[in-house]
Coordinates of all heavy atoms in Angstrom, one line a residue:
H677 N 0.8 -1.2 0.0 CA 0.0 0.0 0.1 C 0.9 1.3 0.0 O 1.9 1.3 0.6 CB -0.9 0.0 1.2 CG -2.0 -1.1 1.1 ND1 -2.7 -1.5 2.3 CD2 -2.5 -1.7 0.1 CE1 -3.5 -2.4 2.0 NE2 -3.5 -2.6 0.6
R678 N 0.3 2.3 -0.7 CA 1.0 3.6 -0.5 C 1.0 4.2 0.8 O -0.1 4.1 1.5 CB 0.4 4.5 -1.6 CG 1.1 5.9 -1.7 CD 0.5 6.8 -2.7 NE -0.9 7.1 -2.5 CZ -1.3 8.1 -1.7 NH1 -0.4 8.9 -1.2 NH2 -2.6 8.4 -1.8
I679 N 2.1 4.6 1.2 CA 2.2 5.3 2.6 C 1.5 6.6 2.5 O 1.9 7.5 1.7 CB 3.7 5.4 3.2 CG1 4.2 3.9 3.3 CG2 3.7 6.2 4.4 CD1 5.7 3.9 3.7
K680 N 0.5 6.8 3.3 CA -0.3 8.1 3.3 C 0.0 9.0 4.5 O -0.7 10.1 4.6 CB -1.8 7.8 3.2 CG -2.2 6.9 1.9 CD -3.6 6.6 1.9 CE -4.0 5.8 0.7 NZ -5.5 5.5 0.5
I681 N 1.0 8.6 5.3 CA 1.3 9.5 6.5 C 2.6 10.3 6.1 O 3.6 9.7 5.8 CB 1.6 8.6 7.7 CG1 0.3 7.8 8.1 CG2 1.9 9.5 8.9 CD1 0.4 6.8 9.2
G682 N 2.4 11.6 6.3 CA 3.6 12.4 6.0 C 3.9 12.6 4.5 O 3.0 12.2 3.7
P683 N 4.9 13.3 4.1 CA 5.2 13.6 2.7 C 5.7 12.4 1.9 O 6.9 12.1 1.9 CB 6.2 14.8 2.8 CG 6.9 14.5 4.0 CD 5.9 13.9 5.0
A684 N 4.8 11.5 1.4 CA 5.2 10.4 0.8 C 4.8 10.3 -0.7 O 4.8 9.3 -1.4 CB 4.6 9.1 1.5
I685 N 4.6 11.5 -1.3 CA 4.2 11.6 -2.8 C 4.6 12.9 -3.3 O 4.5 14.0 -2.5 CB 2.7 11.4 -2.9 CG1 2.4 11.5 -4.5 CG2 1.8 12.4 -2.2 CD1 1.0 11.0 -4.9
T686 N 5.2 13.0 -4.3 CA 5.7 14.3 -4.9 C 5.8 14.1 -6.5 O 5.6 13.0 -7.0 CB 7.0 14.8 -4.3 OG1 7.2 16.1 -4.8 CG2 8.1 13.9 -4.7
W687 N 6.3 15.2 -7.1 CA 6.4 15.1 -8.6 C 7.8 15.3 -9.1 O 8.5 16.0 -8.4 CB 5.5 16.3 -9.2 CG 4.0 16.1 -8.9 CD1 3.4 16.7 -7.9 CD2 3.1 15.3 -9.5 NE1 2.0 16.3 -7.9 CE2 1.9 15.5 -9.0 CE3 3.2 14.5 -10.7 CZ2 0.7 14.9 -9.4 CZ3 2.0 13.9 -11.1 CH2 0.7 14.1 -10.5
A688 N 8.1 14.6 -10.2 CA 9.5 14.7 -10.7 C 9.9 16.2 -11.1 O 11.0 16.4 -10.8 CB 9.5 13.8 -11.9
H689 N 8.9 16.9 -11.7 CA 9.4 18.2 -12.0 C 9.6 19.1 -10.8 O 10.4 20.1 -10.9 CB 8.3 18.9 -13.0 CG 6.9 19.0 -12.3 ND1 6.0 18.0 -12.3 CD2 6.4 20.1 -11.5 CE1 4.9 18.4 -11.7 NE2 5.1 19.7 -11.2
S690 N 9.0 18.8 -9.7 CA 9.3 19.5 -8.4 C 10.6 19.1 -7.9 O 11.4 20.0 -7.4 CB 8.2 19.3 -7.4 OG 6.9 19.7 -7.9
V691 N 10.9 17.8 -7.9 CA 12.2 17.4 -7.4 C 13.3 17.9 -8.2 O 14.4 18.3 -7.7 CB 12.2 15.8 -7.5 CG1 13.6 15.3 -7.0 CG2 11.2 15.3 -6.5
L692 N 13.2 18.0 -9.6 CA 14.1 18.4 -10.5 C 14.3 20.0 -10.5 O 15.1 20.5 -11.1 CB 13.9 18.0 -11.9 CG 14.0 16.5 -12.1 CD1 13.5 16.1 -13.5 CD2 15.4 16.0 -11.9
R693 N 13.3 20.7 -9.8 CA 13.3 22.1 -9.7 C 13.3 22.8 -11.1 O 14.1 23.7 -11.3 CB 14.4 22.6 -8.8 CG 14.4 22.1 -7.3 CD 15.5 22.6 -6.5 NE 15.4 22.1 -5.2 CZ 16.3 22.4 -4.3 NH1 17.3 23.2 -4.5 NH2 16.2 22.0 -3.0
L694 N 12.5 22.3 -12.0 CA 12.4 22.9 -13.3 C 11.7 24.1 -13.2 O 10.4 24.1 -12.8 CB 11.7 21.9 -14.2 CG 12.4 20.5 -14.4 CD1 11.6 19.6 -15.3 CD2 13.9 20.7 -14.9
P695 N 12.2 25.3 -13.7 CA 11.5 26.6 -13.5 C 10.4 26.7 -14.5 O 10.4 26.3 -15.7 CB 12.6 27.6 -13.9 CG 13.5 26.8 -14.8 CD 13.5 25.3 -14.3
D696 N 9.3 27.4 -14.1 CA 8.1 27.7 -14.9 C 7.5 26.5 -15.6 O 7.2 26.5 -16.8 CB 8.5 28.8 -15.9 CG 8.9 30.1 -15.3 OD1 8.4 30.4 -14.3 OD2 9.9 30.7 -15.9
F697 N 7.5 25.3 -14.9 CA 7.1 24.2 -15.4 C 5.5 24.2 -15.5 O 4.8 24.3 -14.5 CB 7.6 22.9 -14.6 CG 7.3 21.6 -15.3 CD1 8.4 21.2 -16.1 CD2 6.1 20.8 -15.2 CE1 8.2 19.8 -16.8 CE2 6.0 19.6 -15.8 CZ 7.0 19.1 -16.6
N698 N 4.9 23.9 -16.8 CA 3.5 23.9 -16.9 C 3.0 22.5 -17.1 O 3.2 21.9 -18.2 CB 3.1 24.7 -18.1 CG 1.6 24.8 -18.3 OD1 0.8 24.8 -17.3 ND2 1.2 24.9 -19.5
I699 N 2.6 21.9 -16.0 CA 2.2 20.4 -16.1 C 0.9 20.2 -16.7 O 0.0 21.0 -16.5 CB 2.2 19.8 -14.6 CG1 1.9 18.3 -14.7 CG2 1.3 20.6 -13.8 CD1 1.9 17.6 -13.4
C700 N 0.8 19.2 -17.7 CA -0.4 18.9 -18.3 C -0.4 17.3 -18.3 O 0.2 16.7 -19.2 CB -0.5 19.4 -19.8 SG -2.0 19.0 -20.6
Q701 N -1.1 16.8 -17.4 CA -1.0 15.3 -17.2 C -1.6 14.5 -18.3 O -2.5 15.0 -19.0 CB -1.6 14.8 -15.8 CG -1.0 15.5 -14.6 CD -1.5 14.8 -13.3 OE1 -1.4 13.7 -13.1 NE2 -2.2 15.7 -12.6
C702 N -1.0 13.3 -18.5 CA -1.6 12.3 -19.4 C -1.8 11.0 -18.6 O -1.4 10.9 -17.5 CB -0.7 12.1 -20.6 SG 0.9 11.3 -20.3
F703 N -2.4 9.9 -19.3 CA -2.5 8.7 -18.6 C -1.3 8.0 -18.3 O -0.3 8.0 -19.2 CB -3.5 7.7 -19.4 CG -4.9 8.3 -19.5 CD1 -5.4 8.9 -20.6 CD2 -5.8 8.0 -18.5 CE1 -6.7 9.3 -20.7 CE2 -7.1 8.4 -18.6 CZ -7.5 9.1 -19.6
F704 N -1.1 7.4 -17.2 CA 0.0 6.5 -17.0 C -0.2 5.2 -17.8 O -1.2 4.6 -17.9 CB 0.0 6.1 -15.6 CG 1.1 5.0 -15.2 CD1 2.5 5.3 -15.2 CD2 0.7 3.6 -14.9 CE1 3.4 4.2 -15.0 CE2 1.6 2.7 -14.6 CZ 2.9 3.0 -14.7
G705 N 0.9 5.1 -18.7 CA 0.8 3.9 -19.7 C 0.3 4.4 -21.1 O 0.1 3.6 -22.0
E706 N 0.0 5.6 -21.3 CA -0.5 6.2 -22.5 C 0.5 5.8 -23.8 O 0.0 5.7 -24.8 CB -0.7 7.7 -22.5 CG -1.4 8.2 -23.7 CD -1.7 9.8 -23.5 OE1 -2.3 10.1 -22.6 OE2 -1.3 10.6 -24.5
H707 N 1.7 5.8 -23.5 CA 2.7 5.5 -24.6 C 2.5 4.2 -25.2 O 3.1 3.9 -26.2 CB 4.1 5.7 -24.1 CG 4.6 4.7 -23.0 ND1 4.1 4.9 -21.8 CD2 5.3 3.6 -23.0 CE1 4.6 3.9 -21.0 NE2 5.3 3.2 -21.7
L708 N 1.6 3.3 -24.5 CA 1.5 1.9 -25.0 C 0.4 1.8 -25.9 O 0.1 0.7 -26.5 CB 1.3 1.0 -23.8 CG 2.5 0.9 -22.9 CD1 2.2 -0.1 -21.7 CD2 3.8 0.4 -23.5
L709 N -0.4 2.8 -26.0 CA -1.6 2.8 -26.9 C -1.4 2.4 -28.3 O -2.1 1.5 -28.9 CB -2.5 4.0 -26.8 CG -3.2 4.3 -25.5 CD1 -3.7 5.8 -25.5 CD2 -4.4 3.4 -25.4
A710 N -0.3 3.0 -28.9 CA 0.0 2.7 -30.3 C 0.6 1.4 -30.4 O 0.5 0.8 -31.5 CB 1.1 3.8 -30.8
A711 N 1.2 0.8 -29.4 CA 1.9 -0.5 -29.5 C 0.9 -1.6 -29.5 O 1.1 -2.7 -30.0 CB 2.9 -0.7 -28.4
Y712 N -0.4 -1.4 -28.9 CA -1.4 -2.4 -28.8 C -2.7 -1.8 -29.2 O -3.6 -1.6 -28.4 CB -1.5 -2.9 -27.3 CG -0.2 -3.4 -26.7 CD1 0.7 -2.6 -25.9 CD2 0.2 -4.7 -27.0 CE1 1.8 -3.1 -25.5 CE2 1.4 -5.2 -26.5 CZ 2.3 -4.4 -25.8 OH 3.4 -4.9 -25.2
P713 N -2.8 -1.6 -30.6 CA -4.0 -1.0 -31.0 C -5.3 -1.7 -30.9 O -6.4 -1.2 -31.0 CB -3.6 -0.7 -32.5 CG -2.7 -1.7 -32.9 CD -1.9 -2.0 -31.6
Q714 N -5.2 -3.1 -30.8 CA -6.4 -3.9 -30.7 C -6.9 -4.3 -29.3 O -8.0 -4.8 -29.1 CB -6.1 -5.2 -31.5 CG -5.7 -5.0 -33.0 CD -6.7 -4.3 -33.8 OE1 -7.9 -4.4 -33.7 NE2 -6.2 -3.4 -34.6
R715 N -6.1 -3.9 -28.3 CA -6.5 -4.3 -27.0 C -7.5 -3.4 -26.4 O -7.5 -2.2 -26.6 CB -5.2 -4.3 -26.1 CG -4.3 -5.5 -26.4 CD -3.2 -5.6 -25.3 NE -2.2 -6.6 -25.6 CZ -1.2 -6.9 -24.8 NH1 -0.9 -6.2 -23.7 NH2 -0.4 -7.8 -25.1
K716 N -8.4 -4.0 -25.6 CA -9.4 -3.2 -24.9 C -8.7 -2.4 -23.8 O -7.8 -3.0 -23.1 CB -10.5 -4.2 -24.4 CG -11.6 -3.3 -23.7 CD -12.8 -4.3 -23.4 CE -14.0 -3.5 -23.0 NZ -15.2 -4.3 -22.8
V717 N -9.0 -1.2 -23.6 CA -8.3 -0.3 -22.6 C -9.2 -0.4 -21.3 O -10.3 -0.2 -21.3 CB -8.2 1.1 -23.1 CG1 -7.5 1.9 -22.2 CG2 -7.5 1.1 -24.4
M718 N -8.4 -0.7 -20.2 CA -9.0 -0.7 -18.9 C -8.4 0.5 -18.2 O -7.2 0.7 -18.0 CB -8.6 -2.0 -18.1 CG -8.8 -3.2 -18.9 SD -10.5 -3.7 -19.0 CE -10.7 -4.8 -17.7
I719 N -9.3 1.4 -17.8 CA -8.9 2.7 -17.1 C -9.1 2.5 -15.6 O -10.3 2.2 -15.1 CB -9.6 3.9 -17.6 CG1 -9.6 4.0 -19.1 CG2 -9.2 5.2 -16.8 CD1 -8.2 4.4 -19.6

């Protein structure tokens, strides 16, 4: 299970301290859609 007590989640762009970072999230695993065009997608 994910630890939910204390600071146990953060973002890579925050850790890397990238200036003026404009985050626009996508699905985790989205890069696999083109590799498996026939598979049913479970979200």
Side-chain angles (χ1 to χ4, degrees):
H677 291 160
R678 179 173 66 86
I679 295 178
K680 300 181 180 180
I681 300 176
I685 182 171
T686 188
W687 297 95
H689 61 273
S690 298
V691 175
L692 296 172
R693 298 181 179 179
L694 299 178
D696 300 323
F697 194 89
N698 183 31
I699 181 174
C700 183
Q701 295 190 64
C702 68
F703 291 100
F704 170 70
E706 182 177 311
H707 62 286
L708 299 174
L709 284 168
Y712 302 99
Q714 302 303 321
R715 290 189 183 180
K716 187 168 188 174
V717 179
M718 312 287 265
I719 306 291

